[in-house]
Structures are given as structure tokens and as C-alpha cells.
Amino acid sequence: MSISHARYGTWPSPIDAALVAARDGRPEYLTAVGEELWWTAPRPAEDGRRALLRLTPDGRARSELPPPWNVRSRFTEYGGQPFAGQPREQDGPLVVFCHFADQRLYAFEPDGPEQRRAPRPLTPPAGRGGGPRYVDPLLLPDLGEVWCVREEFTGDRPTDVRRALVAVPLDGSAAHDPGALRELVVDGHFLAGPRRSPDGRHLLWLTWDHPRMPWESTLLRLAELDTGGTRTVVGTPRTLLGGPSEAVAQADWAADGTLLAVSDRTGWWNPHRVPLDGGPPVNLCARQEEFADALWKPGQRWFATLPDGLLAVLHGRGAARLGVLDPSDGHLVDAPGDWTEWASTLAVVGDRLFGVAASPRSGPEIVELDTATGHARVVAEEHHDVVDPAYYPDPRLRTFTGPGGRTVHAHLHPPHHPHYAAADEEAPPYVVWAHGGPTGRAPQVLDLEIAYFTSRGIGVVQVDYAGSTGYGRAYRERLRGEWGVADVEDCAAVARALADEGVADRDRLAIRGGSAGGWTAACSLVSPATEGLYAGAVISYPVLDPSSFAEVTHDLESHYLTSLIGPPDTAAARYRERSPVRRADRVRVPFLLLQGLDDAVCPPEQCERFLAALDRVRSPHTYLTFEGEGHGFRRQDTVVRALEAELALYRQVFGIERGG
């Protein structure tokens, strides 16, 4: 097949913005309900709602709730496990879920009598702050209750929040009488992961307090349950694991009552067996690999117990592969298949294990592993190539050298097209992608948003800068006190190295990021260390002024900057020195700023202050806002407009003549 020659950035591509937007998002929160599998899935064309789907034993998947039902919690603004289900001998399953619009809990019986199939409220109407909000439900029909973590606002500030584990009657009495709700546990400022032991005698949960984040310091707490009266009572809790320099990401029970937890007490998140008597935990697989990731949402699962005593685990360095671990000897066998990344959601039905997996050649799909035979297959949300896979990028894992000789991990996606190439003497333009978090990482999977650019001749490099997860606690802690410096330096080191190698055009480099990545992109425009490096930037729903961020953001991250930059009272100068708002006069290149108007994590106020400061220097920019969008874009029309505006910016700053 002949190859045509055209300048980078001008190649025609069948991957348009509408195609990218229609396939934005992935399945989440796989849950076994008896012999069935349930999950939530994105619907960008339906105002970005999350649909609730069900895979029955006959292999059919169907949506159980029509629009506008939106199964999604706003707990800490990022959400978490929004539903639970329980099989019944008659009338099919009972399902309880959180509806995004009002954050109330609802119950419904999809196979029951007609009058019970419609969702009915279990909790009172929304009050102050659009709450209360509920997450991570435990459905306990034997008690006539559903237990879940409740978040309620006690004042007008975003940080006026109280959390507790509550018991909600399944008879719906609390929908009209808030006094019917019972508080079971109030422990620490944050509470997550409640799990009742198989014998019903114990309850565990995770807790932490400001200024720590859950990947810095959490406690695994245990209490006895008193079931002697008419109502179950939670006893006095005690700490079994965790501390100031230890983070427990997940804890759960094996079928035989063994307590298991993933802790980074060794510097890596490894699975442990935790004695109930307070004895020392036993590391079940002592590897310099991560068996968990940052706990951003309650209900994330990196391990699941199997009926035969084995453990399904997600593990790796800079990736999450699925494996089956024998806790008796630490032997670990990886699941077959080409999937390179498994999401933090697992469900077990008998000998079958379910997860959400993807690869550089396939998007997220629900995969079943038969642990008895070792056979793996796709059972739902199957990836279908909507265009010729020849247009997909060919990613490469790279390591670069940052300041002081430190290692920087990255995923390189060179320009790629089956029918076009550039002249040999031309180096391609490249965009550096800074991920959000900043405690997060870039997965090595097929991303049509990346393919949108690489198939047009614009390279992408995703940088797992200092502070990223996947490489151990020490790598995460490189960012302590250095946010706005180390992340900026690592991204710049990768960009410069690509230019030095001749892989990228030194005069056609840009940077983009959202949320914490938006901060990194904005800081890269005003930092003396990166002056003249980038020709432009795309900044989405960013942090732009750390000094005021704690006052306007949500409760979860209101003290995050204490570790990222320093204590506000003693590091005030550092906050001022790194603020893009205060250094707006240093911006010299065009940029695109994208912001959701309903963003409670990074409110529009930060963007407005940045733009006001820019008016004095009149740096060229475009500011696009989106009604109905929060922190991260979900609606199809939003994603289309944002992506097309981003491409327009690159054409401008890279000097690309519109073609194709």
C-alpha cells in the first residue's frame, strides 16, 4: 500500500471528536448480586449519566433504569460505590442505589411486582449543600437495613462536613422521618470501606483525618457487633493496622473470617493477613510492586477473595495486572490475555472472577476469568473497533532522567497513520500530558483521545511525574513540598529529552492537563525553569491559586496542599511564589482554558482570577465554560467542543495549515 507524504498535523483521520466523545468513560463498580453481575456504565449522549446494567446468567446485559436515573454518588465530590444488591428466592433481587440528582438512596425490585419495580426513596430529601450523600452501601435484609457512609453538611462552607456510618431502614420510613436513621459509627473525619464479617460478629472500616490524605495515613479499625437486642450495636473500635506513615488502601474478609488488607507499611502496597488479636500483620506477597493504588473513591477494590481461599489481586509497577495469589505460600499466577490494565473493581461469582480490563489495542471491557479452568473471555461492554485499528497509536514505555538523576516514567505515543508519513527531515510536534491527582498515574490503554491527535500527526507523551502512583511510596513522596516544581521539572525533562533525541520538534512542544495536571500545565507557562520550552498549553478545570484553594475547594482536598506545598502558615511565601495567578505576567504563549461551571473541586473562581490578572499583559487565550459540567467532562457535546478547540490551538501554535 502506498504512503502519501504530508506535514505532521495535517493527516486526515477518521477519528473525529464525536467518535471520541461517544466512547468516553468506562464501566465501574462491578458487583455480584447472587449469580448475576451488575455495574454502572457511562452514557455521554444522555447528559453524561451513569446507567445501571445487569448481566444475567444467560449472558444478556441490559440497562435496569431508564433516563433520567443516574446511579452516581457525590460523596467527597468524587463519588464511590453507589449501589448494592441482594438476591432473593422470590421476586428477584433487591437493589439500593444513590441517585445523582438528589443524592437520596432508593430501593427497587426489577423482577418484583409491578408496584415495586419503580424506585422508592429510603432517605429524606436533600437539605443543606445538596446532601446528605451516601456511598458504599451494605445491604442487610436480615436486619431490615442498609448500612452506608453518610456525608452531610453542617454549615455553609465546603469544609463544614460530618461523616458517619448509618443504618437506613429498608421499609422507607426514613424517607419521611429522618429520626428513623441510626448512626452506627462516627470515627475520624473520613470514613470508608465498612465490611461486616461473614459470621456477623465484627465490623471493619478505614478512617483518616486532615491534613493527611488516604494514601498517606489511614487506620484500619475493628469493632465487635452486639446483635443481642432488637438493633445491632457497634462496640468500641480498636486499631489493627495503619499509622502516620502507613496507608491501608483496602480491607475485607475472606469466607473463613480471615481479615485481609493491603498496606504500604513496607514502602509498597502489599497484601497482608491481619490477626484480630492485634498481632503483627503477615505480608502475603512481599514484592516491590503495588497491589493497590490511591483510594480516591470508597468502594475501589484491588483484591477479592475466592471460595477456595485464593485471592484475586491487581498488581504491578506502573500498571495493574490481574493475578491469582495463593496466600499460603505467596505464589502468584497472572491471568491470560493481552490486557495490560485492570480497573480497581472486582466481583466474584462462584469460581468466576470479573473485572474491567483494557490494553493499548482495546478499550475497557468486562472480562470473566474462570479460576477453575484458567480461561478468560469478554462477557460485556466488549470493545469493538469503530475504525481501522491501523489508526491506533503504538505506545512505548520509556524512562527518562530528571533533575538530580531521578527516574521519570512516561508513555510515548508517536504520530501514527497507516497511509501518511512526513518528510524525513521533519520532526513531529508533541504534547506533554500531565495527569490529574496529582496522586495518580497514566494507564497504558487505548485512548481514542490520544488517537485523535496521533492519527493526525501530533505526538503525545504521558508523564508519570514525581508523586505518581504505581512506583512505591518513595516515588509518591518525591512531590512532598515540591508541587509546582518537581512535576513541572519532570514534564520538562521528558520534553527536552525527546527534542534532544530528534523524536520531537523542539519548537513545537505543548503541554496539557486537567485538575492537578492543569496546575502543572499552568505552572509550566510561568516557571523560569521552562521559559521558552512550550509553544502553547491546554489547561482544564485547574488549581491556579494555591493560597485560596483551601477556602473554595471541597473538604477532601482542603488540606491536600499541606503535603504538596507545605503548611500554609509556615510556607506562605512558597504558595505565593508558585501561584500562576500571581505570576500571570510571565505567560508568553497562547493557551486554552476549559472549565465546568458546576465544579466544586476547582471552582471557576480560580480561572476568573487568572484571567483578570492576564488582562494586564493581554496574553492570547481562549476561555470556554460549560454549564452543567463539574470536575471532569461527561457530556458528549462538551467533550466534542473541548477537543476541537484543543486541536485548533495546536494548529495555531504549531503552524499547521488546516488539511484533510
Side-chain angles (χ1 to χ4, degrees), residues 132-268:
R133 302 164 178 181
Y134 302 89
V135 75
D136 216 358
L138 290 174
L139 192 48
L140 305 171
D142 58 316
L143 302 179
E145 297 174 328
V146 55
W147 294 3
C148 51
V149 182
R150 180 185 65 189
E151 176 181 76
E152 59 182 344
F153 290 85
T154 59
D156 296 330
R157 297 178 302 174
T159 54
D160 293 335
V161 178
R162 184 176 184 272
R163 298 176 183 88
L165 180 67
V166 297
V168 180
L170 288 172
D171 61 10
S173 56
H176 310 289
D177 177 16
L181 290 170
R182 292 190 303 124
E183 287 193 350
L184 299 170
V185 176
V186 179
D187 185 29
H189 193 64
F190 294 95
L191 186 67
R195 298 289 183 269
R196 188 175 68 159
S197 61
D199 61 10
R201 296 174 55 192
H202 294 90
L203 180 72
L204 66 81
W205 64 89
L206 303 178
T207 183
W208 67 96
D209 285 289
H210 286 317
R212 301 291 188 178
M213 297 298 285
W215 43 85
E216 296 173 337
S217 172
T218 55
L219 300 178
L220 169 56
R221 303 275 273 169
L222 182 77
E224 293 186 0
L225 295 176
D226 182 357
T227 58
T230 57
R231 291 181 170 181
T232 300
V233 177
V234 181
T236 303
R238 52 195 175 94
T239 300
L240 293 185
L241 202 61
S245 300
E246 179 181 0
V248 182
Q250 181 191 345
D252 209 341
W253 303 95
D256 63 359
T258 299
L259 176 54
L260 303 168
V262 180
S263 163
D264 69 348
R265 60 191 295 114
T266 65
W268 297 83

Side-chain angles (χ1 to χ4, degrees), residues 397-605:
L397 297 179
R398 292 285 309 271
T399 56
F400 297 87
T401 301
R406 65 177 181 245
T407 298
V408 182
H409 300 276
H411 300 168
L412 188 67
H413 305 264
H416 178 76
H417 196 291
H419 309 303
Y420 277 83
D424 291 340
E425 65 272 13
E426 184 185 3
Y430 258 84
V431 182
V432 175
W433 283 28
H435 62 69
T439 311
R441 61 180 176 85
Q444 189 188 6
V445 298
L446 175 63
D447 186 338
L448 288 181
E449 193 169 358
I450 293 176
Y452 177 79
F453 296 108
T454 57
S455 62
R456 286 170 168 78
I458 299 173
V460 170
V461 59
Q462 298 171 288
V463 181
D464 281 346
Y465 50 81
S468 298
T469 60
Y471 309 98
R473 188 176 183 111
Y475 197 92
R476 296 199 308 273
E477 292 189 341
R478 286 182 184 178
L479 204 58
R480 288 189 69 86
E482 296 298 317
W483 196 43
V485 177
D487 50 328
V488 170
E489 291 176 342
D490 285 358
C491 288
V494 171
R496 290 190 175 107
L498 293 178
D500 291 343
E501 296 171 5
V503 171
D505 186 337
R506 190 180 303 275
D507 296 325
R508 293 193 293 172
L509 298 170
I511 187 168
R512 68 103 84 164
S515 189
W519 155 269
T520 301
C523 288
S524 297
L525 296 189
V526 300
S527 170
T530 51
E531 186 172 358
L533 178 62
Y534 299 113
V538 177
I539 304 166
S540 302
Y541 37 90
V543 178
L544 291 172
D545 184 30
S547 299
S548 64
F549 179 69
E551 301 171 6
V552 298
T553 193
H554 62 152
D555 185 53
L556 175 65
E557 296 180 90
S558 60
H559 291 256
Y560 197 2
L561 305 193
T562 298
S563 62
L564 292 177
I565 297 179
D569 54 342
T570 60
R574 202 180 301 167
Y575 280 70
R576 292 192 298 270
E577 290 165 2
R578 298 183 191 174
S579 169
V581 168
R582 296 174 183 268
R583 295 189 292 173
D585 61 324
R586 296 191 58 87
V587 178
R588 297 289 186 271
V589 297
F591 67 89
L592 171 65
L593 185 59
L594 305 169
Q595 178 67 48
L597 294 178
D598 294 344
D599 193 339
V601 178
C602 295
E605 174 267 350

Side-chain angles (χ1 to χ4, degrees), residues 361-421:
R361 309 299 292 177
S362 61
E365 46 195 0
I366 296 179
V367 178
E368 174 196 278
L369 172 65
D370 187 328
T371 60
T373 64
H375 177 66
R377 66 187 182 101
V378 178
V379 295
E381 306 284 345
E382 183 176 4
H383 169 82
H384 295 284
D385 292 318
V386 291
V387 297
D388 186 341
Y391 289 93
Y392 296 162
D394 184 19
R396 306 165 191 174
L397 297 179
R398 292 285 309 271
T399 56
F400 297 87
T401 301
R406 65 177 181 245
T407 298
V408 182
H409 300 276
H411 300 168
L412 188 67
H413 305 264
H416 178 76
H417 196 291
H419 309 303
Y420 277 83

Side-chain angles (χ1 to χ4, degrees), residues 40 101 177-178 197 320 326 328 340 479 632 643 655:
T40 68
D177 177 16
S197 61
D326 187 340
S328 66
T340 55
L479 204 58
L643 202 53

Side-chain angles (χ1 to χ4, degrees), residues 596-649:
L597 294 178
D598 294 344
D599 193 339
V601 178
C602 295
E605 174 267 350
Q606 296 250 310
C607 290
E608 292 161 4
R609 293 183 57 203
F610 184 54
L611 295 174
L614 277 170
D615 281 346
R616 296 191 293 270
V617 295
R618 300 199 178 279
S619 179
H621 64 270
T622 297
Y623 180 42
L624 297 182
T625 60
F626 303 96
E627 292 186 3
E629 293 283 13
H631 197 64
F633 303 146
R634 297 174 179 272
R635 297 181 175 181
Q636 189 167 346
D637 55 347
T638 301
V639 176
V640 168
R641 189 176 179 206
L643 202 53
E644 290 179 343
E646 181 171 357
L647 179 60
L649 175 81

